[in-house]
PDB file of all heavy atoms in Angstrom:
ATOM      1  N   VAL A 238     -18.453 -15.187   0.532  1.00 96.00           N
ATOM      2  CA  VAL A 238     -17.209 -15.243   1.311  1.00 96.00           C
ATOM      3  C   VAL A 238     -17.106 -14.029   2.219  1.00 96.00           C
ATOM      4  O   VAL A 238     -16.789 -14.152   3.411  1.00 96.00           O
ATOM      5  CB  VAL A 238     -15.987 -15.322   0.373  1.00 96.00           C
ATOM      6  CG1 VAL A 238     -14.694 -15.133   1.167  1.00 96.00           C
ATOM      7  CG2 VAL A 238     -15.955 -16.663  -0.348  1.00 96.00           C
ATOM      8  N   PHE A 239     -17.379 -12.844   1.692  1.00 95.00           N
ATOM      9  CA  PHE A 239     -17.342 -11.636   2.519  1.00 95.00           C
ATOM     10  C   PHE A 239     -18.416 -11.688   3.606  1.00 95.00           C
ATOM     11  O   PHE A 239     -18.190 -11.264   4.743  1.00 95.00           O
ATOM     12  CB  PHE A 239     -17.531 -10.388   1.664  1.00 95.00           C
ATOM     13  CG  PHE A 239     -16.243  -9.783   1.185  1.00 95.00           C
ATOM     14  CD1 PHE A 239     -16.001  -9.600  -0.164  1.00 95.00           C
ATOM     15  CD2 PHE A 239     -15.267  -9.387   2.094  1.00 95.00           C
ATOM     16  CE1 PHE A 239     -14.814  -9.045  -0.612  1.00 95.00           C
ATOM     17  CE2 PHE A 239     -14.079  -8.827   1.657  1.00 95.00           C
ATOM     18  CZ  PHE A 239     -13.849  -8.647   0.308  1.00 95.00           C
ATOM     19  N   ALA A 240     -19.591 -12.198   3.246  1.00 95.00           N
ATOM     20  CA  ALA A 240     -20.669 -12.311   4.242  1.00 95.00           C
ATOM     21  C   ALA A 240     -20.251 -13.243   5.373  1.00 95.00           C
ATOM     22  O   ALA A 240     -20.460 -12.944   6.561  1.00 95.00           O
ATOM     23  CB  ALA A 240     -21.947 -12.804   3.578  1.00 95.00           C
ATOM     24  N   ALA A 241     -19.647 -14.376   5.020  1.00 96.00           N
ATOM     25  CA  ALA A 241     -19.178 -15.315   6.039  1.00 96.00           C
ATOM     26  C   ALA A 241     -18.070 -14.691   6.881  1.00 96.00           C
ATOM     27  O   ALA A 241     -18.005 -14.906   8.098  1.00 96.00           O
ATOM     28  CB  ALA A 241     -18.678 -16.594   5.372  1.00 96.00           C
ATOM     29  N   ALA A 242     -17.192 -13.899   6.246  1.00 96.00           N
ATOM     30  CA  ALA A 242     -16.115 -13.248   6.986  1.00 96.00           C
ATOM     31  C   ALA A 242     -16.672 -12.283   8.021  1.00 96.00           C
ATOM     32  O   ALA A 242     -16.156 -12.195   9.154  1.00 96.00           O
ATOM     33  CB  ALA A 242     -15.190 -12.512   6.021  1.00 96.00           C
ATOM     34  N   LEU A 243     -17.724 -11.549   7.672  1.00 95.00           N
ATOM     35  CA  LEU A 243     -18.339 -10.623   8.631  1.00 95.00           C
ATOM     36  C   LEU A 243     -18.957 -11.371   9.802  1.00 95.00           C
ATOM     37  O   LEU A 243     -18.858 -10.941  10.959  1.00 95.00           O
ATOM     38  CB  LEU A 243     -19.391  -9.773   7.924  1.00 95.00           C
ATOM     39  CG  LEU A 243     -18.849  -8.698   6.974  1.00 95.00           C
ATOM     40  CD1 LEU A 243     -19.993  -8.063   6.182  1.00 95.00           C
ATOM     41  CD2 LEU A 243     -18.088  -7.632   7.748  1.00 95.00           C
ATOM     42  N   VAL A 244     -19.604 -12.501   9.519  1.00 95.00           N
ATOM     43  CA  VAL A 244     -20.201 -13.310  10.592  1.00 95.00           C
ATOM     44  C   VAL A 244     -19.105 -13.843  11.518  1.00 95.00           C
ATOM     45  O   VAL A 244     -19.218 -13.775  12.749  1.00 95.00           O
ATOM     46  CB  VAL A 244     -21.030 -14.466  10.004  1.00 95.00           C
ATOM     47  CG1 VAL A 244     -21.485 -15.420  11.119  1.00 95.00           C
ATOM     48  CG2 VAL A 244     -22.231 -13.923   9.241  1.00 95.00           C
ATOM     49  N   ILE A 245     -18.036 -14.363  10.935  1.00 94.00           N
ATOM     50  CA  ILE A 245     -16.931 -14.891  11.741  1.00 94.00           C
ATOM     51  C   ILE A 245     -16.265 -13.752  12.522  1.00 94.00           C
ATOM     52  O   ILE A 245     -15.896 -13.925  13.692  1.00 94.00           O
ATOM     53  CB  ILE A 245     -15.907 -15.603  10.832  1.00 94.00           C
ATOM     54  CG1 ILE A 245     -16.542 -16.845  10.198  1.00 94.00           C
ATOM     55  CG2 ILE A 245     -14.666 -15.999  11.625  1.00 94.00           C
ATOM     56  CD1 ILE A 245     -15.671 -17.515   9.155  1.00 94.00           C
ATOM     57  N   GLY A 246     -16.122 -12.587  11.880  1.00 93.00           N
ATOM     58  CA  GLY A 246     -15.551 -11.445  12.579  1.00 93.00           C
ATOM     59  C   GLY A 246     -16.394 -11.030  13.770  1.00 93.00           C
ATOM     60  O   GLY A 246     -15.858 -10.712  14.845  1.00 93.00           O
ATOM     61  N   TRP A 247     -17.723 -11.031  13.598  1.00 94.00           N
ATOM     62  CA  TRP A 247     -18.622 -10.684  14.710  1.00 94.00           C
ATOM     63  C   TRP A 247     -18.472 -11.696  15.842  1.00 94.00           C
ATOM     64  O   TRP A 247     -18.450 -11.331  17.011  1.00 94.00           O
ATOM     65  CB  TRP A 247     -20.057 -10.655  14.185  1.00 94.00           C
ATOM     66  CG  TRP A 247     -21.063 -10.217  15.210  1.00 94.00           C
ATOM     67  CD1 TRP A 247     -21.449  -8.945  15.492  1.00 94.00           C
ATOM     68  CD2 TRP A 247     -21.814 -11.067  16.094  1.00 94.00           C
ATOM     69  NE1 TRP A 247     -22.387  -8.933  16.490  1.00 94.00           N
ATOM     70  CE2 TRP A 247     -22.628 -10.232  16.879  1.00 94.00           C
ATOM     71  CE3 TRP A 247     -21.871 -12.446  16.288  1.00 94.00           C
ATOM     72  CZ2 TRP A 247     -23.494 -10.728  17.845  1.00 94.00           C
ATOM     73  CZ3 TRP A 247     -22.729 -12.940  17.251  1.00 94.00           C
ATOM     74  CH2 TRP A 247     -23.530 -12.092  18.010  1.00 94.00           C
ATOM     75  N   TRP A 248     -18.353 -12.979  15.487  1.00 94.00           N
ATOM     76  CA  TRP A 248     -18.203 -14.025  16.503  1.00 94.00           C
ATOM     77  C   TRP A 248     -16.862 -13.888  17.230  1.00 94.00           C
ATOM     78  O   TRP A 248     -16.759 -14.141  18.428  1.00 94.00           O
ATOM     79  CB  TRP A 248     -18.292 -15.387  15.829  1.00 94.00           C
ATOM     80  CG  TRP A 248     -17.979 -16.547  16.738  1.00 94.00           C
ATOM     81  CD1 TRP A 248     -18.841 -17.194  17.575  1.00 94.00           C
ATOM     82  CD2 TRP A 248     -16.705 -17.180  16.910  1.00 94.00           C
ATOM     83  NE1 TRP A 248     -18.195 -18.189  18.260  1.00 94.00           N
ATOM     84  CE2 TRP A 248     -16.870 -18.207  17.872  1.00 94.00           C
ATOM     85  CE3 TRP A 248     -15.451 -16.989  16.342  1.00 94.00           C
ATOM     86  CZ2 TRP A 248     -15.822 -19.021  18.281  1.00 94.00           C
ATOM     87  CZ3 TRP A 248     -14.396 -17.805  16.754  1.00 94.00           C
ATOM     88  CH2 TRP A 248     -14.594 -18.812  17.706  1.00 94.00           C
ATOM     89  N   ALA A 249     -15.826 -13.480  16.512  1.00 92.00           N
ATOM     90  CA  ALA A 249     -14.470 -13.450  17.077  1.00 92.00           C
ATOM     91  C   ALA A 249     -14.189 -12.215  17.922  1.00 92.00           C
ATOM     92  O   ALA A 249     -13.190 -12.186  18.645  1.00 92.00           O
ATOM     93  CB  ALA A 249     -13.443 -13.529  15.946  1.00 92.00           C
ATOM     94  N   VAL A 250     -15.043 -11.186  17.839  1.00 91.00           N
ATOM     95  CA  VAL A 250     -14.766  -9.927  18.546  1.00 91.00           C
ATOM     96  C   VAL A 250     -14.437 -10.137  20.021  1.00 91.00           C
ATOM     97  O   VAL A 250     -13.398  -9.671  20.504  1.00 91.00           O
ATOM     98  CB  VAL A 250     -15.933  -8.938  18.363  1.00 91.00           C
ATOM     99  CG1 VAL A 250     -15.826  -7.792  19.368  1.00 91.00           C
ATOM    100  CG2 VAL A 250     -15.935  -8.377  16.945  1.00 91.00           C
ATOM    101  N   PRO A 251     -15.276 -10.838  20.800  1.00 91.00           N
ATOM    102  CA  PRO A 251     -14.933 -11.001  22.226  1.00 91.00           C
ATOM    103  C   PRO A 251     -13.946 -12.139  22.492  1.00 91.00           C
ATOM    104  O   PRO A 251     -13.530 -12.351  23.625  1.00 91.00           O
ATOM    105  CB  PRO A 251     -16.289 -11.309  22.865  1.00 91.00           C
ATOM    106  CG  PRO A 251     -17.055 -12.025  21.797  1.00 91.00           C
ATOM    107  CD  PRO A 251     -16.593 -11.437  20.491  1.00 91.00           C
ATOM    108  N   ARG A 252     -13.575 -12.873  21.455  1.00 89.00           N
ATOM    109  CA  ARG A 252     -12.764 -14.072  21.652  1.00 89.00           C
ATOM    110  C   ARG A 252     -11.340 -13.949  21.120  1.00 89.00           C
ATOM    111  O   ARG A 252     -10.517 -14.830  21.371  1.00 89.00           O
ATOM    112  CB  ARG A 252     -13.437 -15.268  20.950  1.00 89.00           C
ATOM    113  CG  ARG A 252     -14.812 -15.611  21.509  1.00 89.00           C
ATOM    114  CD  ARG A 252     -15.491 -16.684  20.670  1.00 89.00           C
ATOM    115  NE  ARG A 252     -16.749 -17.127  21.264  1.00 89.00           N
ATOM    116  CZ  ARG A 252     -17.910 -16.505  21.077  1.00 89.00           C
ATOM    117  NH1 ARG A 252     -17.959 -15.419  20.317  1.00 89.00           N
ATOM    118  NH2 ARG A 252     -19.010 -16.958  21.666  1.00 89.00           N
ATOM    119  N   MET A 253     -11.042 -12.876  20.393  1.00 90.00           N
ATOM    120  CA  MET A 253      -9.736 -12.759  19.735  1.00 90.00           C
ATOM    121  C   MET A 253      -9.173 -11.372  19.928  1.00 90.00           C
ATOM    122  O   MET A 253      -9.905 -10.370  19.891  1.00 90.00           O
ATOM    123  CB  MET A 253      -9.873 -13.076  18.241  1.00 90.00           C
ATOM    124  CG  MET A 253      -8.567 -13.074  17.485  1.00 90.00           C
ATOM    125  SD  MET A 253      -8.834 -13.542  15.755  1.00 90.00           S
ATOM    126  CE  MET A 253      -7.174 -13.358  15.131  1.00 90.00           C
ATOM    127  N   ASN A 254      -7.867 -11.302  20.139  1.00 90.00           N
ATOM    128  CA  ASN A 254      -7.179 -10.030  20.287  1.00 90.00           C
ATOM    129  C   ASN A 254      -6.982  -9.401  18.902  1.00 90.00           C
ATOM    130  O   ASN A 254      -6.313  -9.964  18.037  1.00 90.00           O
ATOM    131  CB  ASN A 254      -5.828 -10.246  20.975  1.00 90.00           C
ATOM    132  CG  ASN A 254      -5.154  -8.944  21.350  1.00 90.00           C
ATOM    133  OD1 ASN A 254      -5.522  -7.875  20.873  1.00 90.00           O
ATOM    134  ND2 ASN A 254      -4.162  -9.024  22.222  1.00 90.00           N
ATOM    135  N   THR A 255      -7.552  -8.207  18.705  1.00 89.00           N
ATOM    136  CA  THR A 255      -7.455  -7.536  17.409  1.00 89.00           C
ATOM    137  C   THR A 255      -6.018  -7.218  17.034  1.00 89.00           C
ATOM    138  O   THR A 255      -5.695  -7.070  15.841  1.00 89.00           O
ATOM    139  CB  THR A 255      -8.280  -6.232  17.434  1.00 89.00           C
ATOM    140  OG1 THR A 255      -9.605  -6.524  17.880  1.00 89.00           O
ATOM    141  CG2 THR A 255      -8.356  -5.604  16.057  1.00 89.00           C
ATOM    142  N   ALA A 256      -5.124  -7.143  18.015  1.00 92.00           N
ATOM    143  CA  ALA A 256      -3.729  -6.797  17.739  1.00 92.00           C
ATOM    144  C   ALA A 256      -3.046  -7.811  16.820  1.00 92.00           C
ATOM    145  O   ALA A 256      -2.027  -7.485  16.201  1.00 92.00           O
ATOM    146  CB  ALA A 256      -2.953  -6.679  19.047  1.00 92.00           C
ATOM    147  N   TRP A 257      -3.577  -9.015  16.705  1.00 93.00           N
ATOM    148  CA  TRP A 257      -3.003  -9.993  15.780  1.00 93.00           C
ATOM    149  C   TRP A 257      -3.002  -9.452  14.346  1.00 93.00           C
ATOM    150  O   TRP A 257      -2.100  -9.757  13.563  1.00 93.00           O
ATOM    151  CB  TRP A 257      -3.783 -11.297  15.822  1.00 93.00           C
ATOM    152  CG  TRP A 257      -3.503 -12.179  16.995  1.00 93.00           C
ATOM    153  CD1 TRP A 257      -4.320 -12.411  18.060  1.00 93.00           C
ATOM    154  CD2 TRP A 257      -2.330 -12.976  17.223  1.00 93.00           C
ATOM    155  NE1 TRP A 257      -3.731 -13.281  18.943  1.00 93.00           N
ATOM    156  CE2 TRP A 257      -2.509 -13.652  18.450  1.00 93.00           C
ATOM    157  CE3 TRP A 257      -1.150 -13.171  16.512  1.00 93.00           C
ATOM    158  CZ2 TRP A 257      -1.559 -14.516  18.982  1.00 93.00           C
ATOM    159  CZ3 TRP A 257      -0.192 -14.035  17.035  1.00 93.00           C
ATOM    160  CH2 TRP A 257      -0.395 -14.688  18.252  1.00 93.00           C
ATOM    161  N   PHE A 258      -4.001  -8.643  14.012  1.00 92.00           N
ATOM    162  CA  PHE A 258      -4.129  -8.158  12.643  1.00 92.00           C
ATOM    163  C   PHE A 258      -3.167  -7.018  12.329  1.00 92.00           C
ATOM    164  O   PHE A 258      -3.000  -6.664  11.168  1.00 92.00           O
ATOM    165  CB  PHE A 258      -5.571  -7.703  12.378  1.00 92.00           C
ATOM    166  CG  PHE A 258      -6.571  -8.819  12.468  1.00 92.00           C
ATOM    167  CD1 PHE A 258      -7.224  -9.083  13.668  1.00 92.00           C
ATOM    168  CD2 PHE A 258      -6.850  -9.620  11.378  1.00 92.00           C
ATOM    169  CE1 PHE A 258      -8.150 -10.119  13.758  1.00 92.00           C
ATOM    170  CE2 PHE A 258      -7.761 -10.649  11.458  1.00 92.00           C
ATOM    171  CZ  PHE A 258      -8.412 -10.914  12.648  1.00 92.00           C
ATOM    172  N   TYR A 259      -2.550  -6.441  13.358  1.00 93.00           N
ATOM    173  CA  TYR A 259      -1.591  -5.357  13.120  1.00 93.00           C
ATOM    174  C   TYR A 259      -0.216  -5.900  12.738  1.00 93.00           C
ATOM    175  O   TYR A 259       0.607  -5.165  12.192  1.00 93.00           O
ATOM    176  CB  TYR A 259      -1.452  -4.480  14.361  1.00 93.00           C
ATOM    177  CG  TYR A 259      -2.745  -3.860  14.842  1.00 93.00           C
ATOM    178  CD1 TYR A 259      -2.965  -3.612  16.191  1.00 93.00           C
ATOM    179  CD2 TYR A 259      -3.751  -3.516  13.943  1.00 93.00           C
ATOM    180  CE1 TYR A 259      -4.145  -3.036  16.637  1.00 93.00           C
ATOM    181  CE2 TYR A 259      -4.939  -2.953  14.385  1.00 93.00           C
ATOM    182  CZ  TYR A 259      -5.125  -2.715  15.737  1.00 93.00           C
ATOM    183  OH  TYR A 259      -6.297  -2.142  16.162  1.00 93.00           O
ATOM    184  N   HIS A 260       0.069  -7.149  13.081  1.00 93.00           N
ATOM    185  CA  HIS A 260       1.354  -7.790  12.750  1.00 93.00           C
ATOM    186  C   HIS A 260       2.554  -7.019  13.313  1.00 93.00           C
ATOM    187  O   HIS A 260       3.607  -6.981  12.679  1.00 93.00           O
ATOM    188  CB  HIS A 260       1.509  -7.947  11.228  1.00 93.00           C
ATOM    189  CG  HIS A 260       0.468  -8.810  10.606  1.00 93.00           C
ATOM    190  ND1 HIS A 260       0.495 -10.187  10.680  1.00 93.00           N
ATOM    191  CD2 HIS A 260      -0.654  -8.494   9.903  1.00 93.00           C
ATOM    192  CE1 HIS A 260      -0.556 -10.686  10.035  1.00 93.00           C
ATOM    193  NE2 HIS A 260      -1.264  -9.678   9.560  1.00 93.00           N
ATOM    194  N   ARG A 261       2.394  -6.430  14.483  1.00 92.00           N
ATOM    195  CA  ARG A 261       3.501  -5.642  15.042  1.00 92.00           C
ATOM    196  C   ARG A 261       4.057  -6.226  16.335  1.00 92.00           C
ATOM    197  O   ARG A 261       4.971  -5.653  16.924  1.00 92.00           O
ATOM    198  CB  ARG A 261       3.042  -4.209  15.299  1.00 92.00           C
ATOM    199  CG  ARG A 261       1.989  -4.061  16.380  1.00 92.00           C
ATOM    200  CD  ARG A 261       1.467  -2.644  16.476  1.00 92.00           C
ATOM    201  NE  ARG A 261       0.436  -2.523  17.497  1.00 92.00           N
ATOM    202  CZ  ARG A 261      -0.402  -1.488  17.591  1.00 92.00           C
ATOM    203  NH1 ARG A 261      -0.318  -0.496  16.712  1.00 92.00           N
ATOM    204  NH2 ARG A 261      -1.303  -1.444  18.539  1.00 92.00           N
ATOM    205  N   ASP A 262       3.526  -7.358  16.784  1.00 93.00           N
ATOM    206  CA  ASP A 262       3.962  -7.957  18.048  1.00 93.00           C
ATOM    207  C   ASP A 262       4.197  -9.442  17.869  1.00 93.00           C
ATOM    208  O   ASP A 262       3.570 -10.101  17.026  1.00 93.00           O
ATOM    209  CB  ASP A 262       2.907  -7.745  19.145  1.00 93.00           C
ATOM    210  CG  ASP A 262       2.662  -6.279  19.430  1.00 93.00           C
ATOM    211  OD1 ASP A 262       3.623  -5.597  19.841  1.00 93.00           O
ATOM    212  OD2 ASP A 262       1.515  -5.820  19.244  1.00 93.00           O
ATOM    213  N   ALA A 263       5.090  -9.963  18.705  1.00 94.00           N
ATOM    214  CA  ALA A 263       5.275 -11.414  18.781  1.00 94.00           C
ATOM    215  C   ALA A 263       4.163 -12.015  19.633  1.00 94.00           C
ATOM    216  O   ALA A 263       3.459 -11.306  20.363  1.00 94.00           O
ATOM    217  CB  ALA A 263       6.640 -11.731  19.367  1.00 94.00           C
ATOM    218  N   ALA A 264       3.995 -13.316  19.550  1.00 94.00           N
ATOM    219  CA  ALA A 264       2.915 -13.981  20.286  1.00 94.00           C
ATOM    220  C   ALA A 264       3.050 -13.751  21.786  1.00 94.00           C
ATOM    221  O   ALA A 264       2.049 -13.502  22.475  1.00 94.00           O
ATOM    222  CB  ALA A 264       2.932 -15.477  19.971  1.00 94.00           C
ATOM    223  N   GLN A 265       4.273 -13.815  22.312  1.00 94.00           N
ATOM    224  CA  GLN A 265       4.480 -13.638  23.747  1.00 94.00           C
ATOM    225  C   GLN A 265       4.043 -12.254  24.206  1.00 94.00           C
ATOM    226  O   GLN A 265       3.577 -12.089  25.341  1.00 94.00           O
ATOM    227  CB  GLN A 265       5.948 -13.872  24.116  1.00 94.00           C
ATOM    228  CG  GLN A 265       6.435 -15.291  23.839  1.00 94.00           C
ATOM    229  CD  GLN A 265       7.048 -15.424  22.460  1.00 94.00           C
ATOM    230  OE1 GLN A 265       6.562 -14.848  21.491  1.00 94.00           O
ATOM    231  NE2 GLN A 265       8.126 -16.204  22.367  1.00 94.00           N
TER     232      GLN A 265
END
Side-chain angles (χ1 to χ4, degrees):
V238 170
F239 268 123
L243 288 172
V244 172
I245 294 173
W247 184 88
W248 173 85
V250 165
R252 298 173 174 85
M253 184 177 177
N254 189 345
T255 308
W257 282 107
F258 296 93
Y259 302 148
H260 298 283
R261 66 186 179 196
D262 299 299
Q265 297 92 321

